[in-house]
Amino acid sequence: GVTQPGVAGAVGPMVLPPCPGRVRHFKV
Amino acid sequence: APHGPQLTYSQPNCDDPETEQAALAAVDYLNSHLQQGYKHVLNQIDKVKVWPRRPFGVIFELGVDTLESTCHVFDPTALANCTVRQVAEHAVEGDCDFRVLKQDGQFSVVFAKCDSSPDSAEDVRKVCPQCPLLAQLNDTRVVHAVEAALAAFNVQNNGSYFQLVETSRAQLVPLPPSTRVEFAIAATDCVAKEVADPAKCNLLAEKQYGFCKATVTEKLGGEEVAVTCTVFQPQPAAPQPQPADPTMSVLVAVDPPGPAFPPAGPPAAAMVVGPMV
């Protein structure tokens, strides 16, 4: 079978949500 | 009544350096006002809003998660040198709301409210199925272990008689059957070797605190008490504690029960913060 190549999505800078921030140790 | 445009807040990134500075100032404030239990370290900034403040400065409104360290609040060790209590030791989390004023480059806490709670038994079991969980501080085995350990410490102590200030945490270990306790102590005006009635001893005006870890192991016909206490330098009126004294350790066999001491404080999970503004 022959498949159509997928359409690549636009690649841009990854935007992280502003909050919550990073976990410094571990999450309880 | 506000004049002109309404005050609006901004929402910077929780990991923004200025937000982190505000959170660290808030955690320092928390630790300097805790009167029992252990110092806490910053774990995660949950939320932040920054409000303009009249006439000058800004207010950081913060939601902050903390974790209990292994340093007791009486321990003068700098927070940076305190280790976080691990999940296997049954970690304790703090959940705090702070408002921190930044003015002229200085941070000052204007509101603080924290609750703390131990990790769930399930979480501890996932990491370490055999690890003992935190025990109730009023459990008779815990109360006895603290009494026996403090008595053993005082017997070996050539200086002041030390009184119990609080029981900070406890664990019941199934094998070998033993009780692990941690508790805070304070020096009194009695001499340890001469004390007849501990109830008549008074805490020194210049408070001298200590922190002890002990294991009381059940043995045939008695028990073994292993206790290690660190006594900190006396605290003058302004609480600027200095590095700790050498650690004192004793390992003795003691027949139960030991003498009676003041009751233990509330559970380790209770966190008391000083005056709120």
Side-chain angles (χ1 to χ4, degrees), chain B residues 45-61:
Chain B
I45 300 167
D46 279 338
K47 56 188 175 188
V48 56
K49 288 180 184 174
V50 181
W51 297 85
R53 186 257 198 181
R54 286 173 177 157
F56 307 111
V58 290
I59 294 278
F60 287 81
E61 186 183 333

Side-chain angles (χ1 to χ4, degrees), chain A residues 16-28, chain B residues 13-15 20 43-46 65 84-85 87 119:
Chain A
L16 293 173
C19 285
R22 68 191 168 93
V23 175
R24 287 157 182 79
H25 300 282
F26 53 84
K27 201 70 187 156
V28 168
Chain B
N13 192 303
C14 273
D15 285 337
E20 188 170 52
N43 191 34
Q44 186 179 36
I45 300 167
D46 279 338
D65 287 343
V84 172
R85 197 177 296 284
V87 175
D119 197 0

Side-chain angles (χ1 to χ4, degrees), chain A residues 2-23:
Chain A
V2 178
T3 56
Q4 292 288 333
V7 178
V11 178
M14 193 168 66
V15 179
L16 293 173
C19 285
R22 68 191 168 93
V23 175

